[in-house]
Amino acid sequence: NAGVTQTPKFRVLKTGQSMTLLCAQDMNHEYMYWYRQDPGMGLRLIHYSVGEGTTAKGEVPDGYNVSRLKKQNFLLGLESAAPSQTSVYFCASSYSPLANTEAFFGQGTRLTVV
Amino acid sequence: GENVEQHPSTLSVQEGDSAVIKCTYSDSASNYFPWYKQELGKGPQLIIDIRSNVGEKKDQRIAVTLNKTAKHFSLHITETQPEDSAVYFCAPKSYSGGGADGLTFGKGTHLIIQP
């Protein structure tokens, strides 16, 4: 039972490079989320999706784009990486927040932008 | 939006003692109160949650208490063990308007269990 899987686990980028983080869940969850975690800041929501083909902005969306072409996958893109985007990124999914259900998190992707 | 504060930011207790972490929130419409535990190198994991119609919930050594009037809820861990060392996050939520827009997390409490 894989749950939520994030790829890659570690990455170093140069300023201005682009990359895509992949999140895959095998629990048939409708809702998926991307958070970033910085020291002393907790987790902050970047973008989220309430279903296949839909996305919405969270608290800190600038510099990121997302896509949800398939229900099980949620992609986070950085078009032109900046040092301020150095962070640990977590993907999460839940069956339905309307039922106050648990959010399941991936193991995280540690991204360093130099 | 929800304004969430956790206290303390770091808590060090002797193994076997109790630990209490407090979370205050601003949105009076909040009706769901979860606590997440994050171990080193892992994603957060739900350990206990409570709905607004309940004042207290226990699960073995952990419990959550809610004071809706004062807008705070607390995580209680009794008989602490080394495996309790982690960062704990609260994430109060209002589901009145749908609630699809994710959780707002506190900044976390680093719990250290001293042997």
Side-chain angles (χ1 to χ4, degrees), chain A residues 20 22-23 25 30 32 34 48-55 65-76:
Chain A
T20 300
L22 172 63
C23 176
Q25 53 96 1
E30 290 292 337
M32 298 188 74
W34 276 107
Y48 64 98
S49 168
V50 302
E52 182 178 322
T54 70
T55 63
N65 57 75
V66 289
S67 64
R68 183 103 180 264
L69 299 179
K70 294 183 178 180
K71 184 178 182 178
Q72 63 268 32
N73 295 337
F74 195 28
L75 278 64
L76 177 70

Side-chain angles (χ1 to χ4, degrees), chain A residues 35 37 40 45 97-98 100 103, chain B residues 36 38 51 95 98-99 101 103 107:
Chain A
Y35 292 88
Q37 184 175 31
L45 184 66
L98 298 178
N100 296 3
Chain B
Y36 282 77
Q38 185 178 27
R51 271 62 169 175
Y95 283 91
D101 57 344
L103 296 169
K107 289 182 169 53

Side-chain angles (χ1 to χ4, degrees), chain B residues 32-104:
Chain B
Y32 175 61
F33 307 94
W35 283 97
Y36 282 77
K37 174 183 180 183
Q38 185 178 27
E39 297 177 345
L40 193 62
K42 296 184 178 181
Q45 183 174 12
L46 179 72
I47 55 171
I48 195 166
D49 58 13
I50 194 170
R51 271 62 169 175
S52 59
N53 58 344
V54 177
E56 182 177 359
K57 181 178 178 180
K58 289 183 179 180
D59 183 4
Q60 298 183 343
R61 296 187 298 108
I62 61 172
V64 54
T65 58
L66 172 64
N67 185 328
K68 284 214 73 179
T69 303
K71 289 190 282 188
H72 66 74
F73 62 111
S74 297
L75 176 68
H76 304 254
I77 305 175
T78 59
E79 301 174 12
T80 53
Q81 300 172 4
E83 55 263 36
D84 295 329
S85 292
V87 180
Y88 293 81
F89 294 96
C90 64
K93 180 70 178 176
S94 168
Y95 283 91
S96 304
D101 57 344
L103 296 169
T104 299

